[in-house]
Amino acid sequence: MNVLVKSATIVDPKSDFHNQTVDILIKKGLISEISKGIQNPKNYKEIKLDGLHVSQGWFDSSVSFGEPGLEERETIENGLKTAAYSGFTSVAVNSNTNPVIDSYADISFLKSKSANHAVNLLPIGALTKHSAGIDLAEMYDMTSAGAVAFYDYQKPIENPNLMKVALQYASNFGGLVCSFPQESKITGLGVMNENVTSTSLGLKGNPALAEELQIARDLFILEYTEGKLHIPTISTAKSVELIRAAKLKKLDVTCSVAIHNLMFTDDNLTSFETNFKVLPPLRTQNDVDALIDALKDGTIDMVTSDHNPLDIEHKKIEFDYATYGTIGLESAFGALNSIFTVKKAIELLTKGKERFKVKNAPISVGNEANLALFNPNETYRFSSENIISTSKNSMFLDQELKGIVHGIISNNQLILK
Protein backbone atom coordinates (compact mmCIF):
# COMPACT_ATOMS: atom_id res chain seq x y z
CA MET A 1 0.00 0.00 0.00
CA ASN A 2 1.39 3.38 -1.08
CA VAL A 3 -0.37 6.55 0.12
CA LEU A 4 0.39 10.27 0.31
CA VAL A 5 -1.41 12.05 3.15
CA LYS A 6 -1.60 15.76 2.39
CA SER A 7 -1.72 18.69 4.83
CA ALA A 8 -2.33 16.70 7.99
CA THR A 9 -1.78 18.05 11.49
CA ILE A 10 0.06 15.47 13.57
CA VAL A 11 -1.14 14.95 17.15
CA ASP A 12 1.59 12.84 18.75
CA PRO A 13 3.77 14.26 21.56
CA LYS A 14 6.27 11.43 20.95
CA SER A 15 6.82 12.58 17.37
CA ASP A 16 9.22 15.31 16.25
CA PHE A 17 6.36 16.64 14.12
CA HIS A 18 3.81 17.07 16.92
CA ASN A 19 1.40 19.96 16.19
CA GLN A 20 2.89 20.47 12.72
CA THR A 21 0.85 20.39 9.49
CA VAL A 22 2.79 18.27 7.04
CA ASP A 23 2.53 15.67 4.27
CA ILE A 24 3.16 12.02 5.11
CA LEU A 25 4.42 9.63 2.43
CA ILE A 26 3.76 5.97 3.11
CA LYS A 27 5.39 3.24 1.02
CA LYS A 28 4.48 -0.41 1.52
CA GLY A 29 2.97 0.39 4.88
CA LEU A 30 6.03 2.24 6.22
CA ILE A 31 6.42 5.99 6.75
CA SER A 32 9.12 7.01 4.27
CA GLU A 33 8.95 10.81 4.47
CA ILE A 34 7.36 13.55 6.59
CA SER A 35 7.67 17.13 5.37
CA LYS A 36 5.78 19.96 3.73
CA GLY A 37 4.98 19.89 0.03
CA ILE A 38 5.87 16.29 -0.81
CA GLN A 39 5.44 15.65 -4.53
CA ASN A 40 3.56 12.66 -5.86
CA PRO A 41 5.47 11.59 -8.99
CA LYS A 42 4.32 7.96 -8.92
CA ASN A 43 0.61 8.74 -8.77
CA TYR A 44 0.12 7.27 -5.27
CA LYS A 45 -3.35 7.52 -3.77
CA GLU A 46 -3.69 10.92 -2.10
CA ILE A 47 -5.69 11.66 1.04
CA LYS A 48 -6.62 15.33 1.26
CA LEU A 49 -9.46 16.22 3.62
CA ASP A 50 -10.59 19.43 5.31
CA GLY A 51 -9.22 19.82 8.82
CA LEU A 52 -7.33 16.55 8.58
CA HIS A 53 -5.46 15.43 11.71
CA VAL A 54 -3.54 12.20 12.29
CA SER A 55 -2.41 10.44 15.45
CA GLN A 56 -1.15 7.05 16.41
CA GLY A 57 -3.89 4.47 15.91
CA TRP A 58 -6.27 4.19 18.84
CA PHE A 59 -6.70 1.29 21.27
CA ASP A 60 -9.77 0.03 23.15
CA SER A 61 -9.24 -2.34 26.08
CA SER A 62 -12.83 -3.66 26.29
CA VAL A 63 -14.86 -4.47 23.18
CA SER A 64 -17.51 -7.17 22.80
CA PHE A 65 -18.58 -8.79 19.54
CA GLY A 66 -20.98 -11.71 19.19
CA GLU A 67 -19.04 -14.30 17.26
CA PRO A 68 -18.96 -17.19 17.94
CA GLY A 69 -22.56 -18.00 18.77
CA LEU A 70 -24.15 -14.57 18.95
CA GLU A 71 -23.58 -13.31 15.43
CA GLU A 72 -26.98 -11.60 15.36
CA ARG A 73 -25.44 -9.03 17.71
CA GLU A 74 -22.16 -8.55 15.84
CA THR A 75 -19.77 -10.58 13.71
CA ILE A 76 -16.01 -10.30 14.00
CA GLU A 77 -15.82 -8.96 10.44
CA ASN A 78 -18.33 -6.17 10.98
CA GLY A 79 -17.00 -5.46 14.46
CA LEU A 80 -13.50 -4.87 13.11
CA LYS A 81 -14.95 -2.74 10.30
CA THR A 82 -16.74 -0.66 12.94
CA ALA A 83 -13.50 -0.27 14.90
CA ALA A 84 -11.59 0.81 11.78
CA TYR A 85 -14.16 3.42 10.76
CA SER A 86 -14.05 4.68 14.37
CA GLY A 87 -10.26 5.23 14.37
CA PHE A 88 -9.16 2.14 16.30
CA THR A 89 -6.26 0.04 15.04
CA SER A 90 -6.26 -2.39 18.00
CA VAL A 91 -9.14 -3.71 20.10
CA ALA A 92 -9.07 -6.14 23.02
CA VAL A 93 -12.10 -8.41 22.58
CA ASN A 94 -13.96 -9.89 25.53
CA SER A 95 -14.84 -13.55 26.00
CA ASN A 96 -18.63 -13.15 26.42
CA THR A 97 -19.58 -15.30 23.45
CA ASN A 98 -21.35 -18.65 23.14
CA PRO A 99 -19.35 -20.71 23.88
CA VAL A 100 -17.20 -18.54 26.15
CA ILE A 101 -13.61 -18.03 24.95
CA ASP A 102 -11.74 -20.10 27.52
CA SER A 103 -9.27 -22.39 25.71
CA TYR A 104 -6.30 -22.45 23.34
CA ALA A 105 -8.60 -23.44 20.46
CA ASP A 106 -10.99 -20.57 21.18
CA ILE A 107 -8.20 -17.99 21.16
CA SER A 108 -6.82 -19.50 17.95
CA PHE A 109 -10.27 -19.17 16.37
CA LEU A 110 -10.42 -15.44 17.11
CA LYS A 111 -6.90 -14.92 15.80
CA SER A 112 -7.60 -16.81 12.57
CA LYS A 113 -10.92 -15.02 11.97
CA SER A 114 -9.21 -11.63 12.29
CA ALA A 115 -6.01 -12.48 10.42
CA ASN A 116 -4.88 -10.00 7.74
CA HIS A 117 -7.33 -7.32 8.89
CA ALA A 118 -6.28 -3.70 9.26
CA VAL A 119 -7.43 -3.76 12.90
CA ASN A 120 -5.52 -5.96 15.33
CA LEU A 121 -7.86 -8.16 17.37
CA LEU A 122 -6.39 -8.91 20.81
CA PRO A 123 -8.26 -11.79 22.47
CA ILE A 124 -9.13 -11.61 26.16
CA GLY A 125 -9.61 -15.13 27.50
CA ALA A 126 -12.05 -15.98 30.25
CA LEU A 127 -10.50 -16.01 33.71
CA THR A 128 -12.56 -19.03 34.79
CA LYS A 129 -13.96 -21.97 32.84
CA HIS A 130 -17.14 -20.94 31.05
CA SER A 131 -16.87 -17.68 33.07
CA ALA A 132 -18.66 -19.59 35.81
CA GLY A 133 -16.40 -18.32 38.61
CA ILE A 134 -15.55 -21.79 39.93
CA ASP A 135 -12.34 -23.10 38.33
CA LEU A 136 -9.56 -21.21 36.60
CA ALA A 137 -9.50 -21.46 32.81
CA GLU A 138 -6.49 -22.58 30.78
CA MET A 139 -4.66 -19.30 31.26
CA TYR A 140 -1.17 -20.36 30.23
CA ASP A 141 -2.40 -22.23 27.14
CA MET A 142 -4.45 -19.21 26.10
CA THR A 143 -1.41 -16.97 26.54
CA SER A 144 0.51 -19.27 24.22
CA ALA A 145 -2.27 -18.87 21.64
CA GLY A 146 -2.20 -15.06 21.88
CA ALA A 147 -4.48 -14.00 24.75
CA VAL A 148 -3.47 -10.63 26.20
CA ALA A 149 -5.48 -10.77 29.45
CA PHE A 150 -8.06 -12.82 31.40
CA TYR A 151 -11.49 -11.53 32.32
CA ASP A 152 -14.96 -12.90 33.02
CA TYR A 153 -16.72 -9.99 31.33
CA GLN A 154 -18.92 -8.09 33.82
CA LYS A 155 -18.91 -11.09 36.16
CA PRO A 156 -17.23 -10.55 39.54
CA ILE A 157 -15.02 -13.25 41.03
CA GLU A 158 -16.94 -13.90 44.23
CA ASN A 159 -14.46 -16.38 45.74
CA PRO A 160 -11.51 -14.37 47.14
CA ASN A 161 -9.27 -17.44 47.21
CA LEU A 162 -9.87 -17.96 43.50
CA MET A 163 -8.75 -14.39 42.87
CA LYS A 164 -5.67 -14.98 45.01
CA VAL A 165 -4.74 -18.13 43.11
CA ALA A 166 -5.38 -16.46 39.75
CA LEU A 167 -3.02 -13.60 40.56
CA GLN A 168 -0.35 -15.96 41.87
CA TYR A 169 -0.58 -18.33 38.91
CA ALA A 170 -0.63 -15.59 36.27
CA SER A 171 2.48 -13.98 37.78
CA ASN A 172 4.48 -17.02 36.61
CA PHE A 173 4.11 -15.94 32.98
CA GLY A 174 3.29 -12.23 33.28
CA GLY A 175 -0.43 -12.71 32.73
CA LEU A 176 -2.81 -9.80 33.29
CA VAL A 177 -5.81 -10.61 35.49
CA CYS A 178 -8.91 -8.44 35.18
CA SER A 179 -11.51 -8.29 37.94
CA PHE A 180 -14.95 -6.76 37.48
CA PRO A 181 -15.58 -4.38 40.41
CA GLN A 182 -18.89 -5.49 41.88
CA GLU A 183 -19.88 -7.24 45.09
CA SER A 184 -22.94 -9.12 43.87
CA LYS A 185 -24.48 -9.71 47.28
CA ILE A 186 -24.54 -5.97 47.86
CA THR A 187 -25.81 -5.25 44.34
CA GLY A 188 -28.65 -7.73 44.66
CA LEU A 189 -31.33 -6.97 42.06
CA GLY A 190 -30.26 -3.35 41.59
CA VAL A 191 -30.55 -2.08 38.02
CA MET A 192 -29.32 1.53 38.38
CA ASN A 193 -27.31 3.66 40.78
CA GLU A 194 -28.78 3.65 44.29
CA ASN A 195 -29.66 7.28 44.86
CA VAL A 196 -32.60 9.62 45.20
CA THR A 197 -33.22 9.13 41.47
CA SER A 198 -33.65 5.37 41.81
CA THR A 199 -36.09 5.93 44.66
CA SER A 200 -38.15 8.44 42.70
CA LEU A 201 -38.26 6.12 39.67
CA GLY A 202 -39.16 3.06 41.74
CA LEU A 203 -36.14 1.10 40.45
CA LYS A 204 -33.93 -1.08 42.65
CA GLY A 205 -30.56 0.49 43.34
CA ASN A 206 -27.01 -0.75 42.81
CA PRO A 207 -25.01 1.19 45.41
CA ALA A 208 -21.52 2.59 44.90
CA LEU A 209 -20.59 0.53 47.96
CA ALA A 210 -20.85 -2.67 45.89
CA GLU A 211 -18.10 -1.49 43.56
CA GLU A 212 -15.90 -0.07 46.27
CA LEU A 213 -16.00 -3.15 48.49
CA GLN A 214 -14.88 -5.38 45.62
CA ILE A 215 -12.07 -3.03 44.67
CA ALA A 216 -10.87 -2.82 48.28
CA ARG A 217 -10.90 -6.64 48.53
CA ASP A 218 -9.02 -7.10 45.27
CA LEU A 219 -6.39 -4.54 46.20
CA PHE A 220 -5.73 -6.31 49.49
CA ILE A 221 -5.33 -9.59 47.60
CA LEU A 222 -3.10 -7.91 45.03
CA GLU A 223 -0.83 -6.57 47.75
CA TYR A 224 -0.57 -10.05 49.27
CA THR A 225 0.17 -11.83 45.99
CA GLU A 226 2.32 -9.12 44.34
CA GLY A 227 0.45 -9.93 41.15
CA LYS A 228 -0.66 -7.90 38.13
CA LEU A 229 -4.23 -6.58 38.13
CA HIS A 230 -6.45 -4.53 35.84
CA ILE A 231 -9.77 -3.21 37.13
CA PRO A 232 -12.07 -2.43 34.19
CA THR A 233 -14.72 0.30 34.12
CA ILE A 234 -14.68 1.91 37.55
CA SER A 235 -17.46 4.41 38.15
CA THR A 236 -17.31 6.06 41.59
CA ALA A 237 -15.32 8.77 43.34
CA LYS A 238 -14.39 6.41 46.19
CA SER A 239 -13.06 3.85 43.68
CA VAL A 240 -10.70 6.54 42.41
CA GLU A 241 -9.46 7.16 45.96
CA LEU A 242 -8.85 3.45 46.57
CA ILE A 243 -6.85 3.01 43.37
CA ARG A 244 -4.90 6.22 43.93
CA ALA A 245 -3.84 4.92 47.35
CA ALA A 246 -2.87 1.54 45.87
CA LYS A 247 -0.66 3.22 43.30
CA LEU A 248 1.08 5.18 46.02
CA LYS A 249 1.93 1.78 47.50
CA LYS A 250 3.47 0.85 44.11
CA LEU A 251 1.01 -2.01 43.54
CA ASP A 252 0.91 -3.28 39.96
CA VAL A 253 -2.63 -2.12 39.23
CA THR A 254 -4.27 -0.30 36.33
CA CYS A 255 -7.88 0.66 35.72
CA SER A 256 -10.18 2.00 33.04
CA VAL A 257 -13.39 3.98 32.83
CA ALA A 258 -16.14 3.63 30.24
CA ILE A 259 -16.55 6.79 28.16
CA HIS A 260 -20.30 6.89 28.78
CA ASN A 261 -19.65 7.09 32.54
CA LEU A 262 -17.87 10.40 31.84
CA MET A 263 -20.76 11.93 29.93
CA PHE A 264 -24.01 10.77 31.51
CA THR A 265 -25.43 10.48 35.03
CA ASP A 266 -28.27 8.54 36.63
CA ASP A 267 -30.52 11.52 35.92
CA ASN A 268 -30.56 10.37 32.28
CA LEU A 269 -32.66 7.37 33.32
CA THR A 270 -35.82 9.34 34.03
CA SER A 271 -37.22 8.35 30.62
CA PHE A 272 -36.58 4.63 31.35
CA GLU A 273 -34.59 4.42 28.09
CA THR A 274 -32.90 1.00 28.25
CA ASN A 275 -29.89 2.12 26.19
CA PHE A 276 -28.85 3.92 29.39
CA LYS A 277 -28.90 0.65 31.32
CA VAL A 278 -25.22 -0.25 31.67
CA LEU A 279 -22.94 -2.01 34.12
CA PRO A 280 -21.49 -0.42 36.16
CA PRO A 281 -24.47 1.91 36.22
CA LEU A 282 -24.40 5.60 35.47
CA ARG A 283 -23.57 7.39 38.73
CA THR A 284 -23.86 10.98 40.03
CA GLN A 285 -22.31 14.20 38.74
CA ASN A 286 -19.92 14.12 41.69
CA ASP A 287 -18.67 10.72 40.49
CA VAL A 288 -18.34 11.97 36.91
CA ASP A 289 -16.26 14.94 38.06
CA ALA A 290 -13.99 12.67 40.12
CA LEU A 291 -13.49 10.30 37.17
CA ILE A 292 -12.56 13.15 34.83
CA ASP A 293 -10.10 14.56 37.38
CA ALA A 294 -8.58 11.08 37.80
CA LEU A 295 -8.01 10.82 34.05
CA LYS A 296 -6.29 14.19 34.10
CA ASP A 297 -3.92 13.23 36.94
CA GLY A 298 -3.27 9.69 35.67
CA THR A 299 -4.97 7.74 38.46
CA ILE A 300 -7.24 6.19 35.83
CA ASP A 301 -4.96 4.71 33.19
CA MET A 302 -7.21 4.44 30.14
CA VAL A 303 -10.67 4.87 28.71
CA THR A 304 -12.79 2.29 26.91
CA SER A 305 -15.94 2.42 24.83
CA ASP A 306 -17.00 -0.82 26.57
CA HIS A 307 -18.68 -1.50 23.22
CA ASN A 308 -21.37 -4.14 23.76
CA PRO A 309 -23.75 -4.75 20.82
CA LEU A 310 -27.16 -6.15 21.82
CA ASP A 311 -30.05 -7.06 19.55
CA ILE A 312 -33.43 -5.40 19.89
CA GLU A 313 -34.97 -8.31 21.79
CA HIS A 314 -32.61 -7.64 24.70
CA LYS A 315 -33.18 -3.88 24.80
CA LYS A 316 -36.73 -3.04 23.74
CA ILE A 317 -38.33 -4.51 26.86
CA GLU A 318 -39.14 -3.38 30.41
CA PHE A 319 -36.19 -1.66 32.09
CA ASP A 320 -35.86 -4.28 34.84
CA TYR A 321 -35.44 -7.07 32.29
CA ALA A 322 -33.31 -5.32 29.65
CA THR A 323 -29.71 -6.49 29.25
CA TYR A 324 -26.88 -4.19 30.35
CA GLY A 325 -24.84 -2.56 27.61
CA THR A 326 -24.37 0.12 24.97
CA ILE A 327 -22.34 0.31 21.79
CA GLY A 328 -19.66 2.97 21.87
CA LEU A 329 -16.93 2.62 19.25
CA GLU A 330 -18.55 4.98 16.75
CA SER A 331 -19.12 7.71 19.33
CA ALA A 332 -15.91 7.31 21.36
CA PHE A 333 -13.84 10.08 19.81
CA GLY A 334 -16.69 12.56 19.45
CA ALA A 335 -17.63 12.08 23.10
CA LEU A 336 -14.10 12.35 24.50
CA ASN A 337 -13.30 15.32 22.28
CA SER A 338 -16.40 17.03 23.68
CA ILE A 339 -15.06 16.66 27.24
CA PHE A 340 -11.31 17.14 26.86
CA THR A 341 -8.89 19.00 24.59
CA VAL A 342 -7.93 17.28 21.35
CA LYS A 343 -4.48 16.49 22.73
CA LYS A 344 -5.93 14.91 25.88
CA ALA A 345 -8.60 12.97 23.97
CA ILE A 346 -5.93 11.43 21.72
CA GLU A 347 -3.71 10.70 24.70
CA LEU A 348 -6.54 8.78 26.34
CA LEU A 349 -7.33 6.86 23.15
CA THR A 350 -3.72 5.71 22.83
CA LYS A 351 -2.99 4.93 26.49
CA GLY A 352 -3.11 1.40 27.80
CA LYS A 353 -1.37 -0.17 24.83
CA GLU A 354 1.66 -1.43 26.72
CA ARG A 355 -0.52 -2.98 29.41
CA PHE A 356 -2.23 -5.10 26.74
CA LYS A 357 0.91 -5.90 24.72
CA VAL A 358 0.29 -3.46 21.87
CA LYS A 359 3.19 -1.84 20.03
CA ASN A 360 3.27 1.93 20.56
CA ALA A 361 5.43 3.55 17.87
CA PRO A 362 5.53 7.33 17.29
CA ILE A 363 4.76 8.91 13.92
CA SER A 364 8.32 8.95 12.61
CA VAL A 365 10.14 8.08 9.40
CA GLY A 366 10.95 4.38 9.26
CA ASN A 367 8.13 3.30 11.54
CA GLU A 368 5.12 1.31 10.44
CA ALA A 369 2.15 3.52 9.55
CA ASN A 370 -0.38 2.94 12.31
CA LEU A 371 -2.58 6.00 12.10
CA ALA A 372 -6.02 7.34 12.94
CA LEU A 373 -7.39 9.97 10.54
CA PHE A 374 -9.87 12.51 11.91
CA ASN A 375 -11.18 16.06 12.02
CA PRO A 376 -11.48 17.26 15.63
CA ASN A 377 -13.35 20.49 14.88
CA GLU A 378 -16.60 19.41 13.25
CA THR A 379 -19.64 19.11 15.53
CA TYR A 380 -22.64 16.95 14.69
CA ARG A 381 -25.63 15.24 16.25
CA PHE A 382 -25.06 11.51 16.60
CA SER A 383 -27.80 9.51 14.88
CA SER A 384 -28.53 5.99 13.66
CA GLU A 385 -26.84 6.94 10.39
CA ASN A 386 -23.54 7.14 12.29
CA ILE A 387 -23.88 3.58 13.57
CA ILE A 388 -21.91 0.93 11.71
CA SER A 389 -22.52 -1.86 14.23
CA THR A 390 -25.12 -4.51 13.48
CA SER A 391 -26.83 -3.69 16.78
CA LYS A 392 -28.07 -0.14 17.35
CA ASN A 393 -28.18 0.08 21.16
CA SER A 394 -26.37 3.39 21.61
CA MET A 395 -26.99 5.76 24.52
CA PHE A 396 -25.29 8.50 22.46
CA LEU A 397 -28.20 8.78 20.01
CA ASP A 398 -29.26 12.41 19.56
CA GLN A 399 -26.24 13.70 21.50
CA GLU A 400 -24.15 16.55 20.09
CA LEU A 401 -20.57 15.34 19.65
CA LYS A 402 -17.43 17.09 18.48
CA GLY A 403 -15.05 15.51 15.99
CA ILE A 404 -15.48 13.06 13.13
CA VAL A 405 -13.31 10.08 12.20
CA HIS A 406 -12.33 9.30 8.61
CA GLY A 407 -10.63 5.92 9.12
CA ILE A 408 -7.24 4.33 9.70
CA ILE A 409 -4.00 3.28 8.08
CA SER A 410 -2.75 0.07 9.67
CA ASN A 411 -1.18 -3.27 8.75
CA ASN A 412 -0.32 -1.94 5.28
CA GLN A 413 -3.99 -1.16 4.62
CA LEU A 414 -6.05 2.00 4.21
CA ILE A 415 -9.65 2.02 5.41
CA LEU A 416 -11.64 5.19 4.81
CA LYS A 417 -15.35 5.89 5.18
Side-chain angles (χ1 to χ4, degrees), residues 35-46:
S35 63
K36 295 180 182 292
I38 298 176
Q39 298 302 309
N40 188 4
K42 295 188 177 181
N43 200 30
Y44 291 163
K45 179 178 177 62
E46 284 195 13

Side-chain angles (χ1 to χ4, degrees), residues 275-303:
N275 283 337
F276 288 96
K277 185 180 180 182
V278 288
L279 200 63
L282 301 175
R283 302 290 187 184
T284 67
Q285 188 61 51
N286 179 63
D287 294 308
V288 170
D289 293 341
L291 294 168
I292 290 174
D293 287 344
L295 283 169
K296 291 178 178 177
D297 69 22
T299 300
I300 299 178
D301 300 271
M302 62 196 83
V303 296

Side-chain angles (χ1 to χ4, degrees), residues 14 53 63 83 93 182 191 200-201 223 237 240 253 289 313 322 366:
K14 295 183 178 180
H53 287 57
V63 168
V93 177
Q182 178 175 283
V191 294
S200 66
L201 295 177
E223 186 172 14
V240 169
V253 59
D289 293 341
E313 287 82 1

Side-chain angles (χ1 to χ4, degrees), residues 4 26 104 128 174-175 196 238 286 309 311 316 318 339 400 404:
L4 177 58
I26 299 167
Y104 184 101
T128 65
V196 63
K238 182 66 175 178
N286 179 63
D311 52 85
K316 293 297 182 181
E318 295 91 338
I339 301 170
E400 186 170 289
I404 59 171

Side-chain angles (χ1 to χ4, degrees), residues 130-417:
H130 314 302
S131 289
I134 298 173
D135 300 306
L136 289 182
E138 301 169 3
M139 297 166 67
Y140 181 75
D141 285 351
M142 287 191 284
T143 297
S144 301
V148 297
F150 306 98
Y151 177 32
D152 290 350
Y153 180 69
Q154 293 191 344
K155 293 183 177 180
I157 302 300
E158 296 184 359
N159 182 343
N161 188 59
L162 188 64
M163 177 55 63
K164 175 179 75 74
V165 173
L167 286 165
Q168 290 173 324
Y169 178 59
S171 66
N172 292 312
F173 52 88
L176 178 62
V177 172
C178 305
S179 177
F180 185 63
Q182 178 175 283
E183 214 312 322
S184 296
K185 292 182 177 63
I186 297 290
T187 299
L189 299 176
V191 294
M192 68 169 292
N193 183 51
E194 184 178 85
N195 194 21
V196 63
T197 306
S198 62
T199 303
S200 66
L201 295 177
L203 293 173
K204 294 182 175 65
N206 177 345
L209 176 67
E211 175 173 310
E212 295 149 9
L213 274 178
Q214 192 80 352
I215 289 176
R217 185 206 74 170
D218 286 348
L219 291 174
F220 272 115
I221 296 172
L222 177 66
E223 186 172 14
Y224 178 82
T225 60
E226 299 182 349
K228 184 178 178 182
L229 178 67
H230 178 69
I231 303 175
T233 59
I234 69 170
S235 67
T236 80
K238 182 66 175 178
S239 296
V240 169
E241 293 177 16
L242 290 167
I243 292 167
R244 184 176 286 126
K247 289 188 171 186
L248 288 174
K249 291 182 178 180
K250 306 299 183 185
L251 300 187
D252 192 352
V253 59
T254 53
C255 65
S256 68
V257 60
I259 294 170
H260 50 258
N261 281 98
L262 303 172
M263 195 162 179
F264 302 101
T265 69
D266 53 3
D267 288 336
N268 289 100
L269 292 170
T270 53
S271 64
F272 295 93
E273 169 56 62
T274 57
N275 283 337
F276 288 96
K277 185 180 180 182
V278 288
L279 200 63
L282 301 175
R283 302 290 187 184
T284 67
Q285 188 61 51
N286 179 63
D287 294 308
V288 170
D289 293 341
L291 294 168
I292 290 174
D293 287 344
L295 283 169
K296 291 178 178 177
D297 69 22
T299 300
I300 299 178
D301 300 271
M302 62 196 83
V303 296
T304 172
S305 68
D306 206 23
H307 182 81
N308 189 7
L310 295 166
D311 52 85
I312 193 169
E313 287 82 1
H314 289 83
K315 277 296 187 180
K316 293 297 182 181
I317 55 177
E318 295 91 338
F319 195 92
D320 277 340
Y321 302 109
T323 303
Y324 295 101
T326 179
I327 58 172
L329 282 171
E330 299 97 323
S331 52
F333 174 65
L336 276 180
N337 194 45
S338 302
I339 301 170
F340 300 98
T341 64
V342 177
K343 179 182 176 183
K344 187 63 178 180
I346 299 306
E347 176 193 325
L348 295 174
L349 287 167
T350 53
K351 284 185 71 176
K353 289 184 175 182
E354 295 89 348
R355 191 66 163 176
F356 285 82
K357 304 177 182 178
V358 180
K359 187 188 299 183
N360 197 359
I363 301 175
S364 302
V365 173
N367 284 345
E368 180 182 346
N370 186 276
L371 308 174
L373 312 173
F374 58 97
N375 178 346
N377 301 315
E378 186 171 333
T379 58
Y380 68 104
R381 193 162 294 278
F382 190 80
S383 70
S384 58
E385 294 178 358
N386 302 113
I387 295 177
I388 307 153
S389 305
T390 302
S391 297
K392 311 302 178 185
N393 56 305
S394 172
M395 73 165 66
F396 289 90
L397 286 168
D398 206 37
Q399 296 295 316
E400 186 170 289
L401 304 180
K402 182 182 179 183
I404 59 171
V405 181
H406 298 297
I408 61 169
I409 297 174
S410 175
N411 289 337
N412 199 20
Q413 297 176 57
L414 166 66
I415 296 184
L416 283 180
K417 288 181 181 175

